DNA sequence: CCAAAAGTGTTCCGTCTACACCCATGG
DNA sequence: CCATGGGTGTAGACGGAACACTTTTGG
């Protein structure tokens, strides 16, 4: 192989994963105690180095799979972070990825194995390196995208009630939404499908369960909430 | 220095700059013929490798300065591109940055030196590697941001007419805007300042020149167009 | 029987859109 | 004097926000 770029220096590149979940009507983040030096023991996102033979997306998916046991997660790049001294050990450029998972699908054994915690985004501790910045940017990205993309379903089980769905929007956007207006809008957009199942866990009367209608969404991408 | 991450492999990281300008009522991109192997002679964005002792932003600013002779440009990260074979020569991860410049400030000698051309974004040729993707993402970013940030002034001289400003919006958003509605909205938002100067280059009657009122903007960031 | 969550429509107001004519001037 | 771009206001449509009461049922 010809050595084209030999005179330039190489750097380590890592990916860091911002894993969001939804629990107790709050948007939560999966973080853990860093298990390596430097920074051992600090709260941190979970990450990994990008291998010579894997793309950035592959690396992010690999890390997410290790972490959650799940493939095909909703995942989006947040951005590259490249300050010289962002990592206290060596020069490392990191690309942040944000993923949404349904906490119910998540294997709690993995949580224990990696010593992870679900932490509410408004109670986040100081994280390792520039990870707080990454989280901030990821939240901005979510807030923008949730208005035009059906992100919210990734945070919920397949079947969910309209109240749960509304709580997801409220948690991400951090404001209250009027119940009637919310339901009106949801019903105008034909991308959620009513089932004849009733959820009786959260109320005595019971609430109708809905599911995301991916087919309808694929046919009509125009979507505003 | 302790070698923390020695077992992992390093990669080359570059920055690629997407430089937008506005000329002849069109949004244009500064591209050139690649002057190195691999891909010598192909149309390409202008880029450079990230040095061991510079941040990603520094690298992007350095490349932009080389290219335009200008500092303190409006610049935003578009994202990291990391497919394994994206560069035909070696494994290189690239971070794309998008910049806006006023073509009038631009030194044409530099254009000749680097053999660059201003090409209208709807006449873009096939570019080297994944540069067309980068440009697509950059345009998406512009379209989103121009609605809430005063980007447009970066593409214009300090003094400009309302018609010019409108043409910038039309070029970026790729649709026509009603003149009266546009001017009504602009005047509601007090971030542009009328001068008593008249531009007589584009019309016989002459058009009032305006300037961006940065102070007013800094005081009131709420802004929608 | 009562507490607790589900479910349902209407009115108002502000914003966006569509639309056409006069003005000033250089050539 | 006329062609060219500059400049101005209004009416109707539409979408978002505010708002309160009835229903069901488990305990």
């Amino acid at each position: 192989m010809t050595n084209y770029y030999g005179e330039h220096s190489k750097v380590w590149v890592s990916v860091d994963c911002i894993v969001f979940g939804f629990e107790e009507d709050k948007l939560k983040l999966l973080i853990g105690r860093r298990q390596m030096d430097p920074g051992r023991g600090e709260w941190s996102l979970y990450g990994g180095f990008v291998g010579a033979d894997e793309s950035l997306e592959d690396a992010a998916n690999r890390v997410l799979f290790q972490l959650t046991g799940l493939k095909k997660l909703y995942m989006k790049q947040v951005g590259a972070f490249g300050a010289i001294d962002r990592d206290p050990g060596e020069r490392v450029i990191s690309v942040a990825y944000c993923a949404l998972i349904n906490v119910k699908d998540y294997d709690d054994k993995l949580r224990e194995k990696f010593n992870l915690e679900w932490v509410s985004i408004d109670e986040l501790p100081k994280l390792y390196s520039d990870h707080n910045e990454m989280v901030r940017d990821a939240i901005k990205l979510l807030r923008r995208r949730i208005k035009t993309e059906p992100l919210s379903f990734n945070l919920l089980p397949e079947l969910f009630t309209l109240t749960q769905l509304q709580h997801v929007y409220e948690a991400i956007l951090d404001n209250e939404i009027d119940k009637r207006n919310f339901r009106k809008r949801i019903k105008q957009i034909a991308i959620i499908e009513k089932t004849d199942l009733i959820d009786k866990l959260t109320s005595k009367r019971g609430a109708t369960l809905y599911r995301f209608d991916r087919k309808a969404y694929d046919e009509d991408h125009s979507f505003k909430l």
Side-chain angles (χ1 to χ4, degrees), chain A:
Chain A
M1 179 150 113
T2 318
N3 188 340
Y4 287 112
Y5 309 132
E7 80 262 34
H8 300 285
S9 55
K10 292 181 163 189
V11 297
W12 281 294
V13 176
S14 65
V15 291
D16 284 302
C17 295
I18 299 146
V19 180
F20 288 108
F22 181 71
E23 213 182 25
E24 296 163 354
D25 293 349
K26 304 235 167 177
L27 188 61
K28 300 207 168 175
L29 192 60
L30 196 61
I31 58 176
R33 295 287 186 177
R34 191 169 154 92
Q35 317 235 0
M36 70 194 314
D37 283 314
R40 187 184 297 270
E42 290 181 40
W43 285 110
S44 170
L45 296 175
Y46 198 85
F49 285 93
V50 177
D53 53 358
E54 63 180 358
S55 68
L56 287 171
E57 277 77 13
D58 289 345
N61 277 314
R62 170 174 56 78
V63 169
L64 281 170
F65 180 66
Q66 280 169 24
L67 198 60
T68 63
L70 302 171
K71 297 208 176 195
K72 297 207 195 181
L73 295 176
Y74 177 90
M75 188 185 82
K76 277 273 179 279
Q77 188 186 114
V78 174
F81 291 75
I84 297 171
D85 54 359
R86 54 171 293 285
D87 187 283
E90 312 250 14
R91 176 76 199 278
V92 181
I93 288 171
S94 188
V95 181
Y97 281 86
C98 145
L100 302 180
I101 76 172
N102 168 19
V103 176
K104 296 293 186 324
D105 292 346
Y106 180 71
D107 183 352
D108 230 45
K109 287 197 287 292
L110 283 165
R111 197 177 64 68
E112 283 162 30
K113 175 177 164 195
F114 290 110
N115 205 3
L116 300 169
E117 301 283 341
W118 287 109
V119 178
S120 169
I121 55 162
D122 38 48
E123 294 168 6
L124 271 194
K126 165 81 184 82
L127 303 176
Y128 175 74
S129 180
D130 52 5
H131 290 186
N132 290 88
E133 272 180 71
M134 292 179 178
V135 173
R136 259 196 300 278
D137 286 1
I139 292 173
K140 275 190 209 162
L141 183 141
L142 276 193
R143 287 188 177 154
R144 263 205 321 269
R145 299 220 169 219
I146 201 177
K147 289 173 187 163
T148 52
E149 283 178 54
L151 301 185
S152 39
F153 309 109
N154 296 291
L155 292 165
L156 291 170
E158 198 202 336
L159 297 175
F160 51 85
T161 67
L162 292 181
T163 302
Q164 283 177 294
L165 185 63
Q166 179 177 343
H167 288 329
V168 170
Y169 278 88
E170 289 177 334
I172 292 180
L173 298 172
D174 193 28
N175 65 19
E176 293 195 359
I177 301 173
D178 179 87
K179 186 165 53 155
R180 279 171 291 188
N181 292 336
F182 181 78
R183 293 161 108 97
K184 206 190 313 166
R185 272 177 290 169
I186 286 292
K187 284 171 183 174
Q188 281 164 8
I189 313 163
I191 61 163
I192 74 163
E193 185 186 1
K194 189 173 182 167
T195 69
D196 45 12
L197 302 168
I198 306 284
D199 170 71
K200 306 214 61 153
L201 296 173
T202 53
S203 80
K204 311 190 167 172
R205 177 178 173 181
T208 306
L209 286 163
Y210 290 76
R211 72 158 59 87
F212 175 45
D213 186 346
R214 184 165 299 279
K215 201 178 288 177
Y217 175 68
D218 289 341
E219 281 167 18
D220 178 14
H221 260 231
S222 77
F223 174 93
K224 292 274 150 172
L225 200 114

